[in-house]
Each structure stands twice: as structure tokens, then as C-alpha cells.
Amino acid sequence: MTVAPARQWISSMSQFSPDRAAFDAAYGAAIDYRQSLGQRPPRAAVDPAALKAAFSTPLPDRPRPARQVIDDLVSAASAGLMANSGPNFFGWVMGASHPAGVAADWLTAAWGQNAGIYQTSPAAAAAEDAVARWLLDLFGLPRDCGFGLTTGATMAGFTCLTAARNTVLARAGWDIEERGVFGAPPITVLLGAEAHSTIFAALRYLGFGEDNILRVTADDEGRMVADDLKAKLARCEGPTIIIAQAGHINSGAFDPFTEIADIAAAHGAWLHVDGAFGLWARAVERLRPLADGVERADSWSVDGHKWLQAPYDTGFAIVRDADAHRRAMRIAASYLGASPDGERDPSSYAPELSRRARGFGVWAVMQALGREGITEMIERHCACAQHLKARLADEPGVEFLNQVVLNQAAIAFRSHAAPGHETLADKVIEQIQKRNRCFVAGAEWKGRKILRISIISADTDIEHVDLLADEIIAAWRAVRSEL
Ligand SMILES: *Cc1c(COP(=O)(O)O)cnc(C)c1O
């Protein structure tokens, strides 16, 4: 074995010493970007080949100064960035990464903490503890729930449903830790026919397939029909998990939790709620009744990077039975020292061991917004959705397919000149995207193509929704004139 000469070691080690120029370059580029957001075209109107080419430089043989690398990154990425942090972005349900969270996230990266266990970063664990208390309080959930910080609602759902699966099996006398999933008593999963696609992904990761899933009929707003749940459940025996939803992706609607919770309790089923953005209604006095009864569930998955505007990627897994939560996510090894009494090991509540200290960013966003900032933003977004509905009310052929109870609008188009024409929404979206003054996206719902609007970006206010309404009207009139 040859040993590298000491000089060589020293010169390569210096690559890791702090380089103010690189940090300054990143800071400058970040400020420039954020200040451009209001004016910037929201969609990355980029040539995919050019973008790929900009990144596809050869891997250098020798180390390069970090400053140069950061400059190169900025110029390679710029054209391909989507302005979802800006106020004119209405596509998908995406947040805007609050500046306080971004700044805290820079520190998170610079501190380079591993938030796996208390001992690898006591500060990260303490920050998670604090945000857990604040969030449980805002959502009106018991303080002693298990709380895990995940990458988003997908992994939060996965985390909660792992606890659900393991617990309902334990109640049926099956110890999953000893015996695994294969050969276990079958579990029936009931969920709304319009559950979010990521719930199905989480179920697949957990060993469930189509044969284990019963879809409960959804009503016109995409809400689970409680009577159908009851009827389907009456034919089920053995371990059962029910998955309900707070905030349907097209309509923003809420499942009837009180009825569902009664049914779940009568059957001894575990009730999970996917509340990726909708659970935030609980933080607003006026909207709270929409989610009545949601507090009776056994677990909840929520996003931080959507309505809270925490930096990507952040989600929250909340489980009423904290022991079940910990058992489901437990990672044990002799070298992972037990944390001092009562101190929290973040990895006991999430699927990873080594993990980013997401708690700092969430802590900073929640401190910066405060209760009132959070409430004001959510109410403003819901008022904006009402404003959009009012602005489009008199436009012939524009049809809202949902009641608009929250921040979501599902808009379809109809013309006597082209009856049964199914692609009108696509054409409207294409026009709006071409003009690129605001960003919208589409979907299919109730057998129709829709323009799907999410009002959720931190700075979005009435003026931006006026621009959106103007753009929809202009695009629709242009499409109609060509029919
Ligand atoms: C966004 C969303 C998810 C998935 O959340 P990610 O943060 O993308 O993992 C799940 N359910 C609903 C209702 C959502 O809106």
C-alpha cells in the first residue's frame, strides 16, 4: 500500500476549508433570483437540449475553485428554473420557500448537521421538538402525538401508514417485527376513490396491492361518501385501515370526518388522514369547521413545503400513538447511543437515519410568520380563490366544477360552437403558457379536462389573481374565436 505524500493531503484538504467567495457568489445569485420573482416569466421556457448541454460539461480531472463552480451552476440552471416561489404561479399545489426558511436552510447546509439522533445534533433535535409542539397546537391535535419530519406528504403518509399497518396486525395477534408481512392476516384498506396518487404509492411500498384496496365512492366534490364506506366496511372482517383526505387536489374539499371517525371507531379500524395542504384549515378559526372531526383520526400526514412555505423538502408525519410511531420507524444499533433521558431522536419518527436538519427551516418560517402571518396567508389565498370565481362568473362557457371552499379551483370550458369538444381546457392552458405571465396547469376530473388552479404561493394576492383572471379570459376568448 502506498501512502500519499503529506503535501498532497494538505492541498486536497484545503478544498474543504471555507471559501468566502463561493458563499458570497451563492448569496448574490440567490438575492438576485428572489428579487426577480415578481417580474420573471413563471415558466422555464427552455430548450431541453440546451439545458442538458449546459450541465453536461465533462467531469473535471482536477479540483476547481468552489467560487467558479457556483458561478457555473448559476448560469447552467438559470434558464431551467420555475418561478413557483413567485406570486404568479398557480400550477400544482406548491409553496414559495419563505425567505426566513431559505436563510435558515443555508445555515442548515453550512452547519452540516446530521439530524439522525439527538447525539449527532442536539440543536436539530431541539428545533424539531419545538416545531412539533407549535404544529400540534395549530392543528389542534394532542401534544403527545408522535411527530416526524419527512421529505413531504408522500413519506409522511408512508410513515403513518407503516405505524397503521403494524398496529392493526399487532391487534390481530401478528408481530410484524418477528414474522414480517408475508403470510400475515390480510388487511383491508378503504380509501376514497379520489385519494391522492401518492397514497397509492405509499401503500405499494408497504406491500399492499390493488386486491387489498377498496375504493369508496366519491361525491361531486371528490369527498368520500360515508354511507358507502359503511356499506363496504360491513362486508369486511379483520384488520382494517381507512384513509380519508383533508383537501382534495382539484376541489380542495374535505371528507366528512365526523361520520368517518364514527364508522372507524365502530369497526376498530385505524383512521389515517392525508391532509397535505388541507389540514392547514385547522389553523384558521373561520375554516376550522371544514375539517371538523379530523382530530379523531389515528394519524395525519401534512406538508410543510406547501401552505406553510417551508423550504423544500419538508413534511410532517403525526401519529396519535407515539409508541406505535417509534416502533414503526425504530432503527437500533449498538453504536447509536441512547439519547439522554427523554431527549428526542428524530430518526425514531421518520424513515431515514442520517437526515437533513429540516427543523431549523421550519422553526425559522414559523417564527417569521407567527400565528397571525400563517392565518392571514391562508385566509388571503382562500379569498383570492373566491375572487377568481367572481371574476369569471359572467364569462360565457367558463364553468367551475367545484364549490371553491378553500384555495383550489377546477375550471372547465364549454362552447356551443364545439359541443363535446374535449380539449378546450388544454387549448386555454396552452395560450396562457405561451404568454407566460402566469403559470397554470391542467388535469382531468369528472371525465372532463380542467384548468386547475392552486392559490398557495406566499405572496399571491388579489392583484395577481386579477392578472390570472385577465389571462384566462383573454386565452378563452382567443380559443373561442378560433372554433
Ligand atoms: C402534494 C400532496 C401529496 C404529496 O405530497 P408531497 O409533498 O409531494 O410528497 C399528498 N396528498 C395530497 C392531497 C397532496 O396535495
Side-chain angles (χ1 to χ4, degrees), residues 1-355:
M1 188 180 117
T2 57
V3 176
R7 273 185 59 83
Q8 200 173 317
W9 264 113
I10 289 162
S11 78
S12 66
M13 285 299 286
S14 70
Q15 288 288 317
F16 296 91
S17 67
D19 177 351
R20 182 169 282 276
F23 285 108
D24 284 345
Y27 168 75
I31 288 289
D32 289 349
Y33 177 77
R34 296 297 292 222
Q35 287 181 344
S36 77
L37 277 173
Q39 296 83 44
R40 216 183 151 83
R43 179 173 59 93
V46 68
D47 165 16
L51 183 62
K52 212 181 266 177
F55 277 100
S56 300
T57 52
L59 177 66
D61 290 326
R62 304 196 57 80
R64 300 176 58 208
R67 161 77 206 242
Q68 262 179 30
V69 174
I70 294 303
D71 287 345
D72 287 356
L73 173 64
V74 171
S75 56
S78 291
L81 299 176
M82 295 288 276
N84 56 289
S85 314
N88 296 318
F89 200 91
F90 302 97
W92 307 301
V93 184
M94 307 218 299
S97 298
H98 189 288
V102 173
D105 219 33
W106 289 349
L107 285 171
T108 304
W111 287 336
Q113 299 293 285
N114 182 338
I117 59 173
Y118 182 83
Q119 303 212 39
T120 55
S121 183
E128 284 197 16
D129 246 355
V131 301
R133 279 197 306 277
W134 298 339
L135 286 164
L136 292 172
D137 182 46
L138 282 178
F139 297 142
L141 300 176
R143 298 289 178 86
D144 55 355
C145 285
F147 176 91
L149 265 163
T150 64
T151 51
T154 305
M155 288 316 285
F158 169 80
T159 302
C160 293
L161 291 171
T162 308
R165 179 197 63 183
N166 297 1
T167 304
V168 299
L169 283 179
R171 286 183 201 146
W174 185 271
D175 178 351
I176 197 164
E177 295 196 22
E178 285 296 319
R179 309 175 74 182
V181 284
F182 302 104
I187 300 172
T188 308
V189 177
L190 293 105
L191 42 62
E194 301 202 11
H196 196 265
S197 53
T198 56
I199 286 292
F200 292 94
L203 288 170
R204 277 202 311 279
Y205 307 155
L206 287 165
F208 294 97
E210 283 299 323
D211 287 353
N212 316 114
I213 297 174
L214 287 178
R215 287 174 168 74
V216 179
T217 308
D219 70 8
D220 241 24
E221 295 290 313
R223 292 174 297 221
M224 191 190 282
V225 174
D227 282 345
D228 190 51
L229 172 68
K230 201 171 187 173
K232 288 205 161 72
L233 206 47
R235 298 195 293 272
C236 297
E237 277 179 12
T240 310
I241 298 170
I242 299 169
I243 303 171
Q245 182 169 255
H248 180 283
I249 51 159
N250 296 327
S251 68
F254 294 75
D255 284 349
F257 299 116
T258 301
E259 287 165 87
I260 293 172
D262 284 343
I263 296 167
H267 197 85
W270 180 290
L271 175 58
H272 173 71
V273 174
D274 173 8
F277 61 99
L279 200 66
W280 285 98
R282 297 272 295 173
V284 180
E285 195 66 35
R286 194 179 60 77
L287 299 173
R288 232 168 203 240
L290 288 171
D292 269 351
V294 80
E295 71 283 356
R296 291 173 56 194
D298 296 292
S299 57
W300 304 262
S301 40
V302 197
D303 259 314
H305 52 219
K306 288 179 179 169
W307 232 336
L308 183 59
Q309 321 289 333
Y312 279 89
D313 41 11
T314 309
F316 313 122
I318 304 170
V319 180
R320 180 184 298 280
D321 178 350
D323 285 333
H325 194 164
R326 281 188 291 266
R327 274 196 306 275
M329 292 293 125
R330 188 170 63 94
I331 299 172
S334 62
Y335 61 87
L336 303 175
S339 65
D341 255 358
E343 300 306 343
R344 167 196 176 79
D345 284 329
S347 68
S348 302
Y349 301 89
E352 306 98 7
L353 176 57
S354 295
R355 48 201 289 287

